[in-house]
Amino acid sequence: MIPSRISILVSFVIKESRWMFKIMTVRVWLKRDSGQYWPSIYHMMPSPCSCMSFNPETRRLSIGLDNGTISEFILSEDYNKMTPVKNYQAHQSRVTMILFVLELEWVLSTGQDKQFAWHCSESGQRLGGYRTSAVASGLQFDVETRHVFIGDQSGQVTILKLEQDNCTLVTTFRGHTGGVTALCWDPVQRVLFSGSSDHSVIMWDIGGRKGTAIELQGHNDKVQALSYAQHTRQLISCGGDGGIVVWNMDVERQETPEWLDSDSCQKCDQPFFWNFKQMWDSKKIGLRQHHCRKCGKAVCGKCSSKRSSIPLMGFEFEVRVCDSCHEAITDEERAPTATFHDSKHNIVHVHFDATRGWLLTSGTDKVIKLWDMTPVVS
Protein backbone atom coordinates (compact mmCIF):
# COMPACT_ATOMS: atom_id res chain seq x y z
CA MET A 1 0.00 0.00 0.00
CA ILE A 2 1.38 3.41 -0.99
CA PRO A 3 0.55 6.75 0.60
CA SER A 4 -1.24 9.03 -1.84
CA ARG A 5 0.22 12.47 -1.14
CA ILE A 6 3.97 11.77 -1.08
CA SER A 7 5.91 13.38 -3.93
CA ILE A 8 7.81 10.38 -5.33
CA LEU A 9 6.21 7.03 -4.71
CA VAL A 10 6.85 4.29 -7.23
CA SER A 11 9.50 3.73 -9.87
CA PHE A 12 11.05 0.93 -11.85
CA VAL A 13 13.68 0.35 -14.52
CA ILE A 14 12.72 -1.11 -17.86
CA LYS A 15 14.54 -0.66 -21.18
CA GLU A 16 16.77 2.08 -19.77
CA SER A 17 13.69 4.01 -18.61
CA ARG A 18 12.65 5.18 -15.18
CA TRP A 19 9.07 5.81 -14.12
CA MET A 20 7.80 7.61 -11.08
CA PHE A 21 4.68 9.07 -9.53
CA LYS A 22 4.34 12.65 -8.39
CA ILE A 23 1.28 14.07 -6.68
CA MET A 24 -0.94 14.46 -9.76
CA THR A 25 1.38 13.42 -12.60
CA VAL A 26 2.93 10.37 -14.18
CA ARG A 27 6.45 11.01 -15.44
CA VAL A 28 8.72 9.11 -17.79
CA TRP A 29 12.44 9.43 -17.19
CA LEU A 30 14.97 8.37 -19.83
CA LYS A 31 18.63 7.61 -19.45
CA ARG A 32 20.66 10.11 -21.46
CA ASP A 33 24.06 9.67 -23.11
CA SER A 34 25.63 11.24 -20.03
CA GLY A 35 24.39 8.33 -17.95
CA GLN A 36 21.96 10.56 -16.04
CA TYR A 37 18.17 10.18 -15.99
CA TRP A 38 16.14 13.18 -17.12
CA PRO A 39 12.39 13.72 -17.59
CA SER A 40 11.02 12.85 -21.00
CA ILE A 41 7.24 13.40 -20.75
CA TYR A 42 4.59 13.65 -18.10
CA HIS A 43 0.83 13.37 -17.96
CA MET A 44 -1.47 15.19 -15.58
CA MET A 45 -3.95 12.94 -13.77
CA PRO A 46 -7.39 13.91 -12.42
CA SER A 47 -6.64 12.34 -9.04
CA PRO A 48 -3.52 11.42 -7.05
CA CYS A 49 -1.86 8.20 -8.21
CA SER A 50 -1.71 5.31 -5.76
CA CYS A 51 -0.24 2.33 -7.68
CA MET A 52 0.87 1.23 -11.13
CA SER A 53 1.59 -1.76 -13.37
CA PHE A 54 3.68 -1.75 -16.55
CA ASN A 55 3.94 -4.45 -19.20
CA PRO A 56 7.14 -4.06 -21.29
CA GLU A 57 5.92 -6.27 -24.15
CA THR A 58 2.87 -4.17 -24.93
CA ARG A 59 4.17 -0.96 -23.28
CA ARG A 60 0.82 -0.81 -21.50
CA LEU A 61 0.86 1.34 -18.37
CA SER A 62 -2.01 0.90 -15.88
CA ILE A 63 -2.35 3.51 -13.15
CA GLY A 64 -4.56 3.30 -10.06
CA LEU A 65 -5.97 6.53 -8.68
CA ASP A 66 -7.29 7.77 -5.36
CA ASN A 67 -10.78 8.13 -6.82
CA GLY A 68 -11.02 4.38 -7.60
CA THR A 69 -10.33 4.72 -11.34
CA ILE A 70 -7.75 2.72 -13.29
CA SER A 71 -6.33 4.67 -16.24
CA GLU A 72 -4.50 2.89 -19.06
CA PHE A 73 -1.93 4.32 -21.46
CA ILE A 74 0.18 2.95 -24.30
CA LEU A 75 3.71 4.33 -24.50
CA SER A 76 5.47 4.90 -27.79
CA GLU A 77 8.55 2.88 -28.72
CA ASP A 78 10.86 5.78 -27.90
CA TYR A 79 9.00 6.45 -24.61
CA ASN A 80 8.34 10.06 -25.62
CA LYS A 81 4.56 9.82 -25.90
CA MET A 82 1.74 8.52 -23.68
CA THR A 83 -1.53 7.71 -25.44
CA PRO A 84 -4.64 7.29 -23.23
CA VAL A 85 -6.48 4.03 -23.97
CA LYS A 86 -9.34 3.64 -21.50
CA ASN A 87 -10.50 4.13 -17.92
CA TYR A 88 -11.99 1.50 -15.62
CA GLN A 89 -14.35 2.53 -12.84
CA ALA A 90 -12.94 -0.30 -10.76
CA HIS A 91 -13.47 0.75 -7.12
CA GLN A 92 -15.41 3.09 -4.87
CA SER A 93 -12.23 4.42 -3.25
CA ARG A 94 -8.46 4.39 -3.66
CA VAL A 95 -6.95 1.61 -5.79
CA THR A 96 -4.30 -0.20 -3.74
CA MET A 97 -2.85 -2.80 -6.14
CA ILE A 98 -2.90 -3.48 -9.92
CA LEU A 99 -1.75 -6.45 -12.02
CA PHE A 100 -2.01 -6.73 -15.80
CA VAL A 101 -2.14 -10.34 -17.06
CA LEU A 102 -1.10 -10.33 -20.70
CA GLU A 103 -1.89 -14.00 -21.34
CA LEU A 104 -5.55 -13.55 -20.39
CA GLU A 105 -5.95 -9.85 -21.19
CA TRP A 106 -7.11 -9.22 -17.62
CA VAL A 107 -6.55 -6.29 -15.29
CA LEU A 108 -6.65 -7.35 -11.64
CA SER A 109 -7.03 -4.76 -8.89
CA THR A 110 -7.80 -4.24 -5.23
CA GLY A 111 -9.13 -1.16 -3.52
CA GLN A 112 -9.59 0.49 -0.18
CA ASP A 113 -13.25 -0.44 -0.53
CA LYS A 114 -12.19 -4.04 0.37
CA GLN A 115 -13.01 -5.22 -3.12
CA PHE A 116 -10.96 -7.37 -5.48
CA ALA A 117 -12.01 -6.96 -9.12
CA TRP A 118 -10.88 -8.07 -12.54
CA HIS A 119 -11.66 -6.49 -15.90
CA CYS A 120 -11.16 -7.42 -19.55
CA SER A 121 -8.46 -5.14 -20.89
CA GLU A 122 -9.83 -5.38 -24.43
CA SER A 123 -13.44 -4.38 -23.77
CA GLY A 124 -13.02 -2.68 -20.40
CA GLN A 125 -15.87 -4.81 -19.05
CA ARG A 126 -15.87 -5.83 -15.40
CA LEU A 127 -15.71 -9.64 -15.23
CA GLY A 128 -16.20 -10.21 -11.52
CA GLY A 129 -15.33 -9.26 -7.97
CA TYR A 130 -14.81 -10.54 -4.45
CA ARG A 131 -15.05 -8.77 -1.09
CA THR A 132 -12.04 -9.26 1.18
CA SER A 133 -12.10 -9.21 4.98
CA ALA A 134 -9.81 -6.17 5.13
CA VAL A 135 -8.12 -3.69 2.80
CA ALA A 136 -5.82 -5.61 0.45
CA SER A 137 -2.14 -4.68 0.44
CA GLY A 138 -0.64 -7.52 -1.63
CA LEU A 139 -1.68 -9.07 -4.95
CA GLN A 140 -0.16 -11.90 -7.02
CA PHE A 141 -1.48 -14.16 -9.79
CA ASP A 142 -0.54 -17.58 -11.18
CA VAL A 143 -1.33 -17.73 -14.89
CA GLU A 144 -1.18 -21.52 -15.20
CA THR A 145 -3.77 -22.31 -12.53
CA ARG A 146 -5.57 -18.94 -12.51
CA HIS A 147 -5.15 -18.63 -8.77
CA VAL A 148 -4.99 -15.14 -7.31
CA PHE A 149 -3.32 -14.45 -3.96
CA ILE A 150 -4.58 -11.48 -1.91
CA GLY A 151 -2.84 -10.33 1.27
CA ASP A 152 -4.69 -7.87 3.49
CA GLN A 153 -4.09 -5.60 6.45
CA SER A 154 -5.55 -8.13 8.90
CA GLY A 155 -2.62 -10.47 8.20
CA GLN A 156 -4.68 -12.93 6.15
CA VAL A 157 -3.85 -14.33 2.70
CA THR A 158 -6.81 -15.35 0.52
CA ILE A 159 -6.52 -17.67 -2.48
CA LEU A 160 -9.19 -17.44 -5.19
CA LYS A 161 -9.69 -19.49 -8.34
CA LEU A 162 -10.67 -17.19 -11.20
CA GLU A 163 -12.79 -18.14 -14.19
CA GLN A 164 -13.86 -15.88 -17.02
CA ASP A 165 -16.75 -14.31 -15.11
CA ASN A 166 -16.73 -15.82 -11.61
CA CYS A 167 -14.38 -16.82 -8.80
CA THR A 168 -14.24 -19.51 -6.13
CA LEU A 169 -12.70 -19.25 -2.68
CA VAL A 170 -9.97 -21.91 -2.40
CA THR A 171 -8.61 -21.25 1.09
CA THR A 172 -7.36 -18.61 3.49
CA PHE A 173 -4.35 -18.82 5.77
CA ARG A 174 -2.77 -16.69 8.42
CA GLY A 175 0.74 -16.75 9.84
CA HIS A 176 1.57 -13.12 10.54
CA THR A 177 0.81 -11.19 13.69
CA GLY A 178 0.64 -7.96 11.65
CA GLY A 179 -0.85 -6.94 8.33
CA VAL A 180 0.48 -8.32 5.07
CA THR A 181 2.46 -5.60 3.28
CA ALA A 182 3.85 -7.45 0.25
CA LEU A 183 3.43 -10.69 -1.71
CA CYS A 184 5.76 -12.40 -4.20
CA TRP A 185 4.96 -15.55 -6.20
CA ASP A 186 7.43 -18.07 -7.63
CA PRO A 187 5.53 -20.01 -10.33
CA VAL A 188 8.39 -22.49 -10.83
CA GLN A 189 8.85 -23.71 -7.27
CA ARG A 190 5.21 -22.80 -6.55
CA VAL A 191 5.91 -20.98 -3.31
CA LEU A 192 4.39 -17.74 -2.07
CA PHE A 193 6.35 -15.20 -0.04
CA SER A 194 4.52 -12.76 2.21
CA GLY A 195 6.03 -9.78 4.01
CA SER A 196 4.39 -8.15 7.00
CA SER A 197 4.38 -5.22 9.37
CA ASP A 198 5.44 -7.74 12.05
CA HIS A 199 8.98 -7.50 10.48
CA SER A 200 8.90 -11.07 9.13
CA VAL A 201 8.70 -12.87 5.81
CA ILE A 202 6.94 -16.24 5.46
CA MET A 203 7.50 -18.70 2.64
CA TRP A 204 4.34 -20.73 2.00
CA ASP A 205 4.74 -24.05 0.19
CA ILE A 206 1.70 -23.91 -2.09
CA GLY A 207 2.73 -26.50 -4.67
CA GLY A 208 4.11 -29.05 -2.21
CA ARG A 209 0.69 -29.38 -0.53
CA LYS A 210 2.42 -30.14 2.77
CA GLY A 211 1.32 -27.00 4.57
CA THR A 212 4.92 -25.98 5.22
CA ALA A 213 5.49 -22.37 6.28
CA ILE A 214 9.08 -21.18 6.67
CA GLU A 215 9.61 -17.98 8.66
CA LEU A 216 12.39 -15.51 7.79
CA GLN A 217 13.49 -12.92 10.36
CA GLY A 218 15.93 -10.34 9.03
CA HIS A 219 14.36 -6.89 9.48
CA ASN A 220 13.97 -4.52 12.41
CA ASP A 221 10.94 -2.78 10.90
CA LYS A 222 8.03 -3.70 8.68
CA VAL A 223 8.78 -5.44 5.39
CA GLN A 224 7.75 -3.10 2.58
CA ALA A 225 8.50 -4.98 -0.64
CA LEU A 226 9.58 -8.38 -1.98
CA SER A 227 11.22 -9.48 -5.24
CA TYR A 228 12.42 -12.90 -6.33
CA ALA A 229 15.27 -13.95 -8.64
CA GLN A 230 14.08 -17.28 -10.04
CA HIS A 231 17.34 -18.16 -11.81
CA THR A 232 19.34 -18.03 -8.57
CA ARG A 233 16.51 -18.78 -6.11
CA GLN A 234 17.23 -15.66 -4.10
CA LEU A 235 14.60 -13.58 -2.35
CA ILE A 236 15.09 -9.84 -1.94
CA SER A 237 13.23 -8.18 0.92
CA CYS A 238 13.26 -4.47 1.68
CA GLY A 239 12.01 -2.86 4.86
CA GLY A 240 11.16 0.32 6.65
CA ASP A 241 14.48 -0.01 8.48
CA GLY A 242 16.28 0.73 5.20
CA GLY A 243 17.58 -2.82 5.02
CA ILE A 244 17.91 -4.79 1.80
CA VAL A 245 18.17 -8.48 2.65
CA VAL A 246 19.09 -11.09 0.03
CA TRP A 247 18.00 -14.56 1.14
CA ASN A 248 19.43 -17.78 -0.28
CA MET A 249 16.35 -19.96 -0.78
CA ASP A 250 18.34 -22.75 -2.42
CA VAL A 251 19.02 -24.36 0.96
CA GLU A 252 17.05 -26.92 2.96
CA ARG A 253 15.28 -24.70 5.46
CA GLN A 254 13.54 -25.90 8.62
CA GLU A 255 10.06 -24.98 9.79
CA THR A 256 9.95 -23.20 13.13
CA PRO A 257 8.39 -25.36 15.87
CA GLU A 258 5.09 -24.57 17.55
CA TRP A 259 5.43 -23.18 21.06
CA LEU A 260 4.48 -25.76 23.67
CA ASP A 261 2.15 -25.03 26.58
CA SER A 262 3.24 -25.86 30.12
CA ASP A 263 2.56 -24.67 33.69
CA SER A 264 6.20 -25.15 34.64
CA CYS A 265 9.63 -25.00 33.02
CA GLN A 266 10.12 -28.05 30.82
CA LYS A 267 13.80 -28.12 31.76
CA CYS A 268 13.99 -27.54 35.54
CA ASP A 269 10.29 -27.94 36.49
CA GLN A 270 10.18 -24.55 38.22
CA PRO A 271 6.55 -23.26 38.25
CA PHE A 272 5.53 -20.31 36.15
CA PHE A 273 3.97 -17.35 37.96
CA TRP A 274 0.34 -18.34 37.20
CA ASN A 275 0.80 -21.88 38.61
CA PHE A 276 -0.34 -21.06 42.17
CA LYS A 277 -0.78 -24.68 43.26
CA GLN A 278 2.77 -25.74 42.43
CA MET A 279 4.18 -22.53 43.90
CA TRP A 280 2.32 -23.23 47.17
CA ASP A 281 3.25 -26.91 47.28
CA SER A 282 6.93 -26.38 46.47
CA LYS A 283 7.23 -23.04 48.33
CA LYS A 284 8.87 -21.50 45.27
CA ILE A 285 8.34 -18.15 43.57
CA GLY A 286 6.76 -18.37 40.12
CA LEU A 287 8.91 -17.49 37.10
CA ARG A 288 8.20 -15.82 33.78
CA GLN A 289 7.66 -18.12 30.80
CA HIS A 290 9.83 -18.04 27.69
CA HIS A 291 10.11 -20.29 24.65
CA CYS A 292 13.13 -21.79 22.92
CA ARG A 293 13.04 -20.80 19.24
CA LYS A 294 14.67 -24.06 18.19
CA CYS A 295 12.73 -26.75 20.08
CA GLY A 296 9.64 -24.73 21.09
CA LYS A 297 9.72 -25.83 24.74
CA ALA A 298 8.42 -23.56 27.51
CA VAL A 299 11.40 -22.62 29.67
CA CYS A 300 12.36 -20.17 32.38
CA GLY A 301 14.93 -17.42 31.99
CA LYS A 302 17.64 -19.36 33.81
CA CYS A 303 17.29 -22.33 31.45
CA SER A 304 17.31 -20.09 28.36
CA SER A 305 20.04 -17.62 29.20
CA LYS A 306 21.82 -18.01 25.83
CA ARG A 307 21.18 -16.47 22.43
CA SER A 308 22.02 -17.84 19.02
CA SER A 309 21.26 -17.26 15.37
CA ILE A 310 19.54 -20.17 13.59
CA PRO A 311 19.77 -19.24 9.88
CA LEU A 312 18.22 -22.47 8.56
CA MET A 313 15.13 -21.63 10.61
CA GLY A 314 15.18 -18.09 9.25
CA PHE A 315 16.62 -16.45 12.37
CA GLU A 316 19.54 -14.44 11.03
CA PHE A 317 19.60 -12.43 14.27
CA GLU A 318 20.32 -13.99 17.64
CA VAL A 319 17.20 -15.29 19.39
CA ARG A 320 16.44 -16.99 22.70
CA VAL A 321 17.24 -20.71 22.85
CA CYS A 322 17.36 -23.11 25.77
CA ASP A 323 20.82 -24.04 27.08
CA SER A 324 20.73 -27.58 25.72
CA CYS A 325 19.80 -26.41 22.20
CA HIS A 326 22.52 -23.76 22.37
CA GLU A 327 25.12 -26.43 23.02
CA ALA A 328 23.78 -28.58 20.17
CA ILE A 329 23.93 -25.83 17.52
CA THR A 330 27.20 -26.11 15.59
CA ASP A 331 29.21 -23.29 14.02
CA GLU A 332 28.23 -24.62 10.58
CA GLU A 333 24.56 -24.30 11.52
CA ARG A 334 25.16 -20.68 12.52
CA ALA A 335 26.53 -19.83 9.07
CA PRO A 336 24.37 -17.02 7.61
CA THR A 337 22.08 -17.75 4.65
CA ALA A 338 21.39 -14.08 3.86
CA THR A 339 23.35 -10.93 3.14
CA PHE A 340 22.43 -7.52 4.54
CA HIS A 341 22.74 -4.15 2.85
CA ASP A 342 21.84 -0.65 4.03
CA SER A 343 19.89 1.49 1.55
CA LYS A 344 20.06 4.50 3.88
CA HIS A 345 16.42 5.39 3.31
CA ASN A 346 13.02 4.09 4.39
CA ILE A 347 12.02 1.94 1.41
CA VAL A 348 8.39 1.98 0.29
CA HIS A 349 8.64 0.30 -3.12
CA VAL A 350 11.14 -1.74 -5.15
CA HIS A 351 11.47 -3.17 -8.64
CA PHE A 352 14.03 -5.83 -9.54
CA ASP A 353 15.24 -6.25 -13.13
CA ALA A 354 16.52 -9.85 -13.16
CA THR A 355 18.07 -9.56 -16.66
CA ARG A 356 20.44 -6.79 -15.56
CA GLY A 357 20.59 -7.51 -11.87
CA TRP A 358 19.42 -3.99 -11.07
CA LEU A 359 17.31 -3.12 -8.05
CA LEU A 360 15.43 0.15 -7.88
CA THR A 361 14.24 1.45 -4.52
CA SER A 362 12.10 4.48 -3.71
CA GLY A 363 11.75 5.85 -0.20
CA THR A 364 9.80 8.20 2.01
CA ASP A 365 12.68 10.67 1.60
CA LYS A 366 11.48 11.21 -2.03
CA VAL A 367 14.72 9.70 -3.34
CA ILE A 368 14.99 6.96 -5.96
CA LYS A 369 18.11 4.79 -5.93
CA LEU A 370 19.35 2.31 -8.52
CA TRP A 371 21.49 -0.56 -7.26
CA ASP A 372 23.71 -3.03 -9.10
CA MET A 373 22.90 -6.31 -7.35
CA THR A 374 25.01 -8.57 -9.57
CA PRO A 375 27.74 -9.06 -6.90
CA VAL A 376 25.16 -10.67 -4.55
CA VAL A 377 22.44 -11.91 -6.94
CA SER A 378 24.33 -14.05 -9.42
Coordinates of all heavy atoms in Angstrom, one line a residue, residues 270-271 275-286:
Q270 N 10.6 -25.7 37.4 CA 10.2 -24.5 38.2 C 8.8 -24.0 37.7 O 8.6 -23.9 36.5 CB 11.2 -23.4 38.1 CG 12.5 -23.7 38.9 CD 12.3 -23.2 40.3 OE1 11.8 -24.0 41.2 NE2 12.7 -22.0 40.6
P271 N 7.9 -23.7 38.7 CA 6.6 -23.3 38.2 C 6.6 -21.9 37.6 O 7.4 -21.0 38.0 CB 5.8 -23.3 39.6 CG 6.8 -23.1 40.6 CD 8.0 -23.8 40.1
N275 N 1.0 -20.5 38.1 CA 0.8 -21.9 38.6 C 0.8 -21.8 40.2 O 1.8 -22.2 40.8 CB 1.9 -22.8 38.1 CG 1.6 -24.3 38.4 OD1 0.6 -24.6 39.2 ND2 2.4 -25.2 37.9
F276 N -0.3 -21.3 40.7 CA -0.3 -21.1 42.2 C -0.2 -22.4 43.0 O 0.4 -22.4 44.0 CB -1.7 -20.3 42.5 CG -1.8 -19.0 41.9 CD1 -2.7 -18.8 40.9 CD2 -1.0 -17.9 42.3 CE1 -2.9 -17.6 40.3 CE2 -1.1 -16.7 41.7 CZ -2.1 -16.5 40.7
K277 N -0.8 -23.4 42.5 CA -0.8 -24.7 43.3 C 0.6 -25.2 43.4 O 1.1 -25.5 44.5 CB -1.6 -25.7 42.6 CG -1.7 -27.1 43.3 CD -2.6 -28.1 42.6 CE -2.8 -29.3 43.5 NZ -1.6 -29.9 43.9
Q278 N 1.4 -25.2 42.3 CA 2.8 -25.7 42.4 C 3.6 -24.8 43.2 O 4.5 -25.2 44.0 CB 3.4 -26.0 41.0 CG 4.7 -26.7 41.1 CD 5.2 -27.0 39.7 OE1 4.5 -26.9 38.7 NE2 6.5 -27.4 39.6
M279 N 3.4 -23.5 43.1 CA 4.2 -22.5 43.9 C 3.9 -22.8 45.4 O 4.9 -22.7 46.2 CB 3.8 -21.1 43.5 CG 4.4 -20.6 42.2 SD 4.2 -18.8 42.0 CE 2.5 -18.7 41.8
W280 N 2.7 -23.0 45.8 CA 2.3 -23.2 47.2 C 2.9 -24.6 47.7 O 3.5 -24.6 48.7 CB 0.8 -23.2 47.3 CG 0.4 -23.5 48.7 CD1 0.0 -24.7 49.3 CD2 0.2 -22.6 49.8 NE1 -0.3 -24.6 50.6 CE2 -0.2 -23.3 50.9 CE3 0.5 -21.2 49.9 CZ2 -0.4 -22.6 52.2 CZ3 0.2 -20.6 51.1 CH2 -0.2 -21.3 52.2
D281 N 2.8 -25.6 46.9 CA 3.3 -26.9 47.3 C 4.8 -27.0 47.4 O 5.3 -27.6 48.3 CB 2.8 -28.0 46.3 CG 1.3 -28.2 46.3 OD1 0.6 -27.8 47.3 OD2 0.7 -28.7 45.3
S282 N 5.5 -26.3 46.5 CA 6.9 -26.4 46.5 C 7.6 -25.2 47.2 O 8.8 -25.2 47.3 CB 7.4 -26.4 45.0 OG 7.1 -25.2 44.3
K283 N 6.7 -24.2 47.6 CA 7.2 -23.0 48.3 C 8.3 -22.3 47.5 O 9.3 -21.9 48.0 CB 7.8 -23.4 49.7 CG 6.9 -24.1 50.6 CD 5.7 -23.2 51.0 CE 4.8 -23.8 52.1 NZ 4.1 -25.0 51.6
K284 N 8.0 -22.2 46.2 CA 8.9 -21.5 45.3 C 8.1 -20.4 44.6 O 6.9 -20.4 44.4 CB 9.4 -22.5 44.2 CG 10.3 -23.5 44.8 CD 10.8 -24.5 43.7 CE 11.7 -25.6 44.2 NZ 12.1 -26.5 43.1
I285 N 8.9 -19.3 44.3 CA 8.3 -18.2 43.6 C 8.2 -18.5 42.1 O 9.1 -19.1 41.5 CB 9.3 -16.9 43.7 CG1 9.4 -16.6 45.2 CG2 8.7 -15.7 42.9 CD1 10.3 -15.4 45.5
G286 N 7.0 -18.1 41.5 CA 6.8 -18.4 40.1 C 7.7 -17.5 39.2 O 8.0 -16.4 39.5

